[in-house]
C-alpha cells in the first residue's frame, strides 16, 4: 500500500486493539474488469446491477468505483461531499 511518505508515515502505536477492515473482500481487480465496472457505471447501471453482472460483491464494486472516481475516470456523479455550513 502506498500511504507512506517522508512527511506521513502511518505507524500505529504498538498498543494493540486494532481491527483490520475489509479483509473479507477481494480488493484487486483485473484491469479489464475495472474498465468494465467504470463503463457500466458511466452508462447508468447501479452498483448491484454491476455486481451481479461481473459476479463480485457489491462492496467490491463500490470500492472499485471509489478508486476510479479518485482517478477522475467517473463521468456520472458517484458521491457528493457536503460543504460545511
Amino acid at each position: 500500500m502506498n500511504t507512506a511518505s517522508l512527511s506521513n508515515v502511518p505507524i500505529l502505536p504498538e498498543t494493540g486493539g486494532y481491527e483490520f477492515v475489509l479483509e473479507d473482500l477481494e480488493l484487486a481487480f483485473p484491469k479489464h474488469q475495472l474498465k468494465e465496472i467504470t463503463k457500466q457505471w458511466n452508462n447508468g447501471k447501479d452498483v448491484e446491477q454491476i455486481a451481479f453482472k461481473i459476479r463480485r460483491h457489491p462492496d467490491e464494486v463500490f470500492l472499485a468505483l471509489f478508486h476510479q472516481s479518485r482517478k477522475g475516470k467517473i463521468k456520472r456523479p458517484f458521491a457528493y461531499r457536503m460543504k460545511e455550513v
Side-chain angles (χ1 to χ4, degrees), residues 81-85:
R81 288 188 175 172
M82 306 260 319
K83 292 183 180 181
E84 288 187 36
V85 179

Side-chain angles (χ1 to χ4, degrees), residues 27-68:
L27 302 179
F29 293 84
K31 289 182 181 186
H32 69 87
Q33 193 174 57
L34 199 56
K35 196 176 207 178
E36 180 64 22
I37 290 168
T38 304
K39 177 181 152 193
Q40 292 295 319
W41 178 262
N42 285 332
N43 286 336
K45 301 293 183 190
D46 65 33
V47 170
E48 288 77 14
Q49 290 171 321
I50 299 168
F52 180 79
K53 180 175 180 171
I54 65 166
R55 296 185 173 138
R56 297 283 296 248
H57 193 283
D59 291 347
E60 294 170 358
V61 172
F62 168 82
L63 293 169
L65 288 168
F66 177 71
H67 172 79
Q68 292 295 78

